Amino acid sequence: MNITVIGAGYVGLVTGTCFAELGNRVTCVDVNKQKVANLKNGIMPIYEPGLEPMVVSNVAAGRLHFVSALQEQSEQPQVIFIAVGTPSDADGAADMQYVLSAARNIGAYINNYCVIVDKSTVPVGVADQVKAIIQEELAKRGLDIKFDVVSNPEFLREGAAIDDFMRPDRIIIGDASEKSKAIMLELYTPIMRSRERIYFMNVKDAEMTKYVANAMLATKISFMNEMAVLCERLGVDVENVRLGIGSDARIGNAFIYPGCGYGGSCFPKDVKALMKMAEKHGVEPLVLRAVEERNAQQKQVLHRKITKIFGEDLSGKTIGVWGLSFKPGTDDMREASSLVLIENLIARNARVQAYDPVAMPIAKDMLPSEWFSSGKLHLAEHQYEALQAADALVLVTEWKPFCYPDLTAMKKLMRRHIILDGRNQYDPKQIRDAEFEYYGIGREVVY
C-alpha cells in the first residue's frame, strides 16, 4: 500500500518506519528540512531502541522516503496519516494548529480518494474539523473528491514503541465508511490477525478512548504515589502494599509502582487537555485535578527529602543524580522529574553532578547554559563520575545500568553514603547492610 505520514516526530517516524518494514511504500513528510536531510542519512531525531537500523534498512530498500512537502511525493497515497504534535497551549487545552495545518495541506494536494487518519492525539470532534477543512480546500480547487477521515489513536510506549506497533494488544479505529474500514483492516491485518482485538467504533468514541486511556494510567500512578506518602507517615512499606493489591486481578500490577512522579509528552499533556474538555462542557474534572496536583506534589518529594537530611541551604553540598529522561528507554526529558529536582537543588545552592545513558545531549540543549558555565551543574561521562565527592546519590530514572550499583566503589567515591531511591529500585536492607543511609518512596524513614 502507498502510505503518507505527515510528521516525522516520535509517533510519525515509528509509524511510518514500521509500515515500511511490513512491505508498504511509505513517505514521511516533515516541514523541518534539516530533520528530513538527517533522516535520509540515517541520523535519528529521537532515541528509540531498534528504530535507527530499521529506518536505515528500509530507506536502503526503497520502501521508506522522507520529504519536506506533500507535493514532493512521486505518487498519490491511498492512506495519509496525520501524526503531528498536539502540545498544550497556554490554558492547558490541546493546540490543534499543526493538525489543522496538515488538513489544509491535504486538501490542497489530494487528487483521488484516500483515507485520512488522525494518528495524533486530538480532542473529541477534531476529525470533523479536519474533514471540513479538507472539503473547503478541495472546493477552492473546484474538485469533488471523496475521502474519509478516520481516528486511529496510537498507544506506543517510549522505549518499547516498535514492539508495541508490531505486537499491539489492541487497535482502535474510528471509521467513517465501509470502504475506509476495509482499507484499515488491510493495513493492520499483518500485525493483528486476531481481528477480535481490532475495535471499530465511531470517530468520536475513538478520539475519546485515547484520552481516557492515558488519564486512567496517570490516575493509577498518582493514586499509588498518594498512598506512598501516607504509608511513609504510618511507618508502612508501600512496596509490600503494592504486592498485596497487585495480586488482585481486578487491580493488577501495571502502573502501581510508587515513584517521584510521571512525565513525558503524553500523560501530563493529555490529562490537562481532558480537564479542559470537561470544563468546556460543564463537567467538574475533580478526579483529574487531583491526579495532576498529586503528580506535581510528587515531583517535589526528592528535594524535600534532601532538605530534611541536609537543611534548606545546600551550600557546599554535591548531589549525584542518576537518570534525566522521564523514563528508561528514551531520551525524552519533557516534564521529567529530574528537571524539578535539579532546579530545586540549584536554587538551594547545591552542586549537581548528573548522568543519563542516552539523554545527555538533550540535557545540554534543554537546561540553562548558566548552570553549566557557573559549575552548578556537571554532566558526567560515567555514572560513577557523578558520585565523585558526592554527599548523596539520587536515583530518578531506573535505567538498567543502575540496577546493581557497585556499592564498594561508591563508598570510596562519595563523601557521605546516602542514597535516595526515587523509584524504589533497591532493597533497603541490602543498601543499609553496606553502610549506606537509604531513603525510598513510601518506605520506612529514619532521619
Side-chain angles (χ1 to χ4, degrees):
M1 196 173 293
N2 193 26
I3 299 168
T4 295
V5 180
I6 300 178
Y10 183 81
V11 173
L13 184 56
V14 171
T15 298
T17 303
C18 287
F19 275 130
E21 181 75 5
L22 295 170
N24 297 288
R25 187 184 190 281
V26 179
T27 302
C28 290
V29 182
D30 199 287
V31 295
N32 186 327
K33 293 184 178 180
Q34 185 60 58
K35 181 191 288 186
V36 168
N38 287 343
L39 283 165
K40 288 179 178 178
N41 291 310
I43 301 171
M44 299 299 105
I46 58 172
Y47 174 81
E48 179 63 34
L51 181 61
E52 181 178 339
M54 192 178 285
V55 169
V56 171
S57 66
N58 279 283
V59 169
R63 292 188 298 268
L64 182 59
H65 309 267
F66 298 98
V67 298
S68 56
L70 283 170
Q71 288 74 15
E72 294 176 31
Q73 298 180 95
S74 58
E75 298 178 29
Q76 285 274 317
Q78 297 157 275
V79 181
I80 301 177
F81 283 89
I82 298 175
V84 295
T86 54
S88 297
D89 62 19
D91 69 351
D95 185 346
M96 289 295 103
Q97 63 172 309
Y98 305 114
V99 172
L100 301 183
S101 176
R104 278 188 285 274
N105 290 334
I106 292 168
Y109 167 71
I110 58 173
N111 288 315
N112 51 248
Y113 173 86
C114 64
V115 179
I116 317 301
V117 184
D118 274 336
K119 200 70 172 171
S120 302
T121 301
V122 298
V124 174
V126 167
D128 291 339
Q129 296 180 51
V130 168
K131 183 176 182 179
I133 288 172
I134 294 173
Q135 288 175 328
E136 180 182 325
E137 293 299 320
L138 288 171
K140 290 179 183 177
R141 297 166 61 200
L143 298 177
D144 182 20
I145 295 172
K146 303 299 181 183
F147 65 93
D148 284 309
V149 177
V150 168
S151 176
N152 174 218
E154 55 85 15
F155 298 99
L156 305 178
R157 297 168 297 165
E158 293 190 41
I162 291 174
D163 191 58
D164 285 346
F165 187 96
M166 294 298 196
R167 300 175 183 84
D169 54 11
R170 84 284 203 197
I171 294 172
I172 304 295
I173 299 173
D175 66 295
S177 70
E178 287 301 315
K179 188 173 183 177
S180 65
K181 180 178 180 179
I183 289 173
M184 296 302 287
L185 271 176
E186 180 183 349
L187 197 57
Y188 278 113
T189 294
I191 58 172
M192 185 63 84
R193 294 188 180 277
S194 178
R195 292 190 179 182
E196 65 267 17
R197 290 191 287 134
I198 300 179
Y199 298 96
F200 286 94
M201 54 188 72
N202 71 46
V203 173
K204 289 185 177 180
D205 294 351
E207 290 171 330
M208 188 64 169
T209 297
K210 168 64 175 182
Y211 277 106
V212 174
N214 278 355
M216 175 61 78
L217 297 177
T219 299
K220 291 184 73 174
I221 295 170
S222 281
F223 175 80
M224 203 62 194
N225 281 336
E226 187 159 295
M227 292 304 100
V229 174
L230 180 57
C231 285
E232 202 165 285
R233 297 287 180 89
L234 296 172
V236 172
D237 189 340
V238 73
E239 287 300 307
N240 288 327
V241 175
R242 176 182 64 79
L243 292 171
I245 67 170
S247 63
D248 186 330
R250 297 170 300 174
I251 297 171
N253 289 300
F255 291 88
I256 61 169
Y257 288 81
C260 50
Y262 63 75
S265 62
C266 293
F267 287 6
K269 170 180 69 71
D270 292 350
V271 169
K272 288 183 176 70
L274 194 53
M275 287 169 60
K276 294 304 294 185
M277 275 190 273
E279 291 168 352
K280 182 179 178 180
H281 292 86
V283 176
E284 276 294 305
L286 302 177
V287 174
L288 294 173
R289 281 186 191 141
V291 169
E292 186 180 48
E293 177 59 25
R294 169 47 60 195
N295 192 55
Q297 290 292 323
Q298 204 68 16
K299 290 182 179 181
Q300 307 289 333
V301 165
L302 288 173
H303 81 82
R304 287 173 180 166
K305 287 179 180 288
I306 290 172
T307 57
K308 283 184 179 179
I309 297 168
F310 296 110
E312 289 292 330
D313 185 0
L314 299 175
S315 298
K317 298 294 186 293
T318 298
I319 308 298
V321 175
W322 280 359
L324 295 170
S325 58
F326 85 94
K327 62 178 281 188
T330 180
D331 60 356
D332 193 345
M333 288 180 60
R334 286 173 288 183
E335 303 278 350
S337 299
S338 62
L339 300 175
V340 177
L341 171 66
I342 292 171
E343 182 178 5
N344 277 285
L345 293 177
I346 290 176
R348 287 164 173 75
N349 304 310
R351 183 174 189 271
V352 178
Q353 299 174 166
Y355 173 79
D356 187 283
V358 303
M360 305 290 265
I362 301 296
K364 288 177 183 177
D365 291 338
M366 189 177 200
L367 299 174
S369 59
E370 187 273 333
W371 288 358
F372 298 109
S373 61
S374 65
K376 296 174 182 177
L377 174 62
H378 170 66
L379 296 181
E381 294 185 3
H382 190 276
Q383 67 188 76
Y384 292 109
E385 182 192 336
L387 304 184
Q388 186 68 47
D391 294 284
L393 161 65
V394 185
L395 176 79
V396 181
T397 314
E398 64 277 33
W399 284 94
K400 288 180 180 178
F402 304 152
C403 287
Y404 295 101
D406 186 338
L407 297 174
T408 301
M410 288 167 60
K411 287 180 73 174
K412 294 176 182 177
L413 288 168
M414 297 175 70
R415 186 159 51 203
R416 289 188 61 178
H417 304 146
I418 299 172
I419 295 177
L420 293 99
D421 184 357
R423 300 297 176 183
N424 287 356
Q425 178 167 264
Y426 303 128
D427 178 354
K429 183 178 185 304
Q430 182 184 19
I431 300 298
R432 289 173 180 147
D433 285 350
E435 300 180 335
F436 281 80
E437 294 178 44
Y438 174 87
Y439 303 92
I441 304 294
R443 318 194 82 167
E444 58 179 313
V445 178
V446 181
Y447 287 111

